[in-house]
Amino acid sequence: MVNELCQLASSGVSIKSIIFIGIILILLGAVSYLMYKSGRLKTKWILPIMLLAFTVLTPLSQPLFAQSVSGCNGQTTDTRVNNTSIGDGNLVNDGPSLTGFFDIYQSYPFPLIAYSALHTIVNNDTAPGGDPFNFSTLRLLGGNSVMDEGQEKFLILDPNDQTLPLNPDDIWNDVIYAQSDTHTNVWGWWQLELTCNVSDLVNCLPPGPFDDHPICTNPGSGTCWPSGKVKVSLKNTIPAGTYTIPYTVDTVGGTPLNTATISIEVPGTPPEPPIIGARDIDIGNCSGWGFFPQDLMSLITYGGSGTLLPSTIDLLPDTPELDKSITVTEPGGEVYTFTVDNDGILTLDNLNNPISGWGINGIFKFTIMDSNGMMSNVGLAYINLGCGG
């Protein structure tokens, strides 16, 4: 069936309008002809009268349409301007996978500390044609909401004890601290990841090498907004099962979308710990660098049956190549080159230059393999940011 909207939206005239106007013109023509035959109408006035009639009658039955690209591609949609339908916009349920977080500072097998996930929740959703998502309106709709250091957290509580914490600021933020949280009935939490205006030096940190957006440091300032991702953190003691939270988002035009659900599946059997544990390393602070050269092999714990291979240390695991050297430019403009040799010894080329900025955290990642082909987790070389701005 021909889509009337797609055929006629550019002119603004519907099929009904054309039929109506045609009937009127036919009747007007018949009357004019009879008047002409009786000598009551002069020939020179026929054409101006018909043009005047067409001009006057056309707007009387002309409905207003809004062109929709998606509606012209065979999708069912109602895109009339005075209709509040969301058209073909739709939020789809999400089911991200959890990652087990292990304490690799302990001996093998590394104990499970917590589960976590960072999930982009609108990548499989569709906005109405011509009216995209307004990501600043992205919001979670769960219960058990508390404010933790200026940002809203949605708690997963023990069904037998739904008491909200008296001091939500004490709830863990970093996954590694989940094991020491004292709220026994708090099993986990959901939270939107926030971004911010990088020029706002008070409430915002510039993105580091491993961040895809600026980091909001003061959610309570009101100058931060959702990045389009949701974080979830769960204690290792949480019972197996499915945990959910709804979310929604508005369009730029102000239309709210249907709600969708994010579902996290906690396994009944804890995941196996990694065979190789690469620890994070603090290689500097705002006064300068730590001790160099550094032996990266001292930061790696091994539980496998093969042999660790220091020659496989990769300083840029995100690429397929084996990178033994990496150059980093920190926010102050200083350029640093790190190199690791085949024995795992890390060196820095411009050791005497102090760090000139405070907005950099992660410097580089590193991984290592063993003789059985097993890959370690990703270790992070970072700067201690305890120095203000």
Side-chain angles (χ1 to χ4, degrees):
M1 180 178 178
V2 176
N3 189 326
E4 177 186 277
L5 176 62
C6 297
Q7 294 289 324
L8 301 173
S10 59
S11 67
V13 184
S14 70
I15 289 178
K16 291 180 180 179
S17 298
I18 293 175
I19 294 173
F20 176 80
I21 294 170
I23 293 173
I24 294 298
L25 291 177
I26 291 172
L27 292 175
L28 184 60
V31 172
S32 299
Y33 178 77
L34 293 175
M35 293 177 66
Y36 168 73
K37 295 295 289 183
S38 64
R40 298 179 181 178
L41 182 66
K42 301 296 183 180
T43 306
K44 64 179 181 179
W45 295 110
I46 293 178
L47 183 58
I49 291 174
M50 293 183 68
L51 291 175
L52 176 62
F54 183 87
T55 303
V56 172
L57 293 173
T58 296
L60 295 181
S61 59
Q62 179 182 345
L64 182 61
F65 290 90
Q67 186 84 31
S68 171
V69 174
S70 58
C72 296
N73 290 331
Q75 300 181 28
T76 301
T77 182
D78 183 358
T79 52
R80 297 195 181 198
V81 169
N82 63 350
N83 194 324
T84 58
S85 169
I86 63 172
D88 60 348
N90 187 46
L91 301 184
V92 181
N93 294 337
D94 296 82
S97 298
L98 287 173
T99 299
F101 190 86
F102 298 88
D103 188 354
I104 57 177
Y105 290 86
Q106 304 297 321
S107 58
Y108 184 85
F110 311 116
L112 177 69
I113 295 177
Y115 299 97
S116 64
L118 178 61
H119 179 62
T120 302
I121 57 178
V122 292
N123 58 348
N124 61 343
D125 301 328
T126 55
D131 192 6
F133 293 131
N134 178 1
F135 293 117
S136 68
T137 66
L138 185 65
R139 55 202 179 277
L140 302 177
L141 303 175
N144 298 324
S145 170
V146 297
M147 295 303 296
D148 177 9
E149 297 179 354
Q151 187 174 357
E152 193 170 22
K153 268 188 169 74
F154 297 85
L155 304 183
I156 300 172
L157 300 178
D158 182 342
N160 298 317
D161 185 359
Q162 294 285 295
T163 306
L164 292 175
L166 294 177
N167 185 10
D169 288 349
D170 288 341
I171 299 172
W172 76 97
N173 286 313
D174 294 328
V175 180
I176 192 171
Y177 299 118
Q179 59 185 342
S180 58
D181 182 75
T182 58
H183 302 92
T184 57
N185 71 319
V186 178
W187 290 352
W189 50 258
W190 307 86
Q191 190 175 57
L192 290 174
E193 182 187 66
L194 299 182
T195 188
C196 50
N197 186 342
V198 70
S199 63
D200 181 4
L201 299 180
V202 175
N203 303 304
C204 195
L205 284 177
F210 314 124
D211 301 315
D212 56 5
H213 58 76
I215 304 302
C216 176
T217 58
N218 183 16
S221 65
T223 60
C224 303
W225 57 87
S227 70
K229 298 179 180 180
V230 65
K231 299 188 290 185
V232 60
S233 181
L234 310 173
K235 290 180 177 178
N236 62 345
T237 55
I238 189 171
T242 302
Y243 299 86
T244 63
I245 191 168
Y247 73 94
T248 188
V249 66
D250 295 349
T251 67
V252 172
T255 301
L257 272 290
N258 62 290
T259 60
T261 301
I262 308 169
S263 299
I264 291 289
E265 194 75 31
V266 176
T269 302
E272 291 292 326
I275 298 297
I276 313 172
R279 304 176 187 176
D280 295 344
I281 172 178
D282 185 353
I283 62 172
N285 53 43
C286 293
S287 299
W289 299 103
F291 176 75
F292 281 92
Q294 294 205 32
D295 182 6
L296 293 184
M297 296 301 294
S298 65
L299 304 170
I300 298 169
T301 305
Y302 187 52
S305 59
T307 304
L308 282 176
L309 303 176
S311 61
T312 65
I313 292 178
D314 188 353
L315 300 185
L316 199 59
D318 295 334
T319 64
E321 297 82 13
L322 180 63
D323 296 282
K324 309 297 290 183
S325 182
I326 182 172
T327 298
V328 177
T329 302
E330 56 97 13
E334 293 291 342
V335 178
Y336 303 100
T337 298
F338 299 88
T339 302
V340 62
D341 65 18
N342 287 336
D343 293 321
I345 304 300
L346 181 72
T347 56
L348 173 63
D349 66 340
N350 49 354
L351 180 61
N352 295 323
N353 289 341
I355 302 168
S356 58
W358 57 274
I360 189 168
N361 190 356
I363 300 295
F364 62 83
K365 304 175 184 178
F366 67 97
T367 57
I368 188 173
M369 297 180 65
D370 70 0
S371 56
N372 293 326
M374 300 296 295
M375 178 72 72
S376 73
N377 65 296
V378 176
L380 176 66
Y382 65 93
I383 290 177
N384 188 333
L385 293 181
C387 50

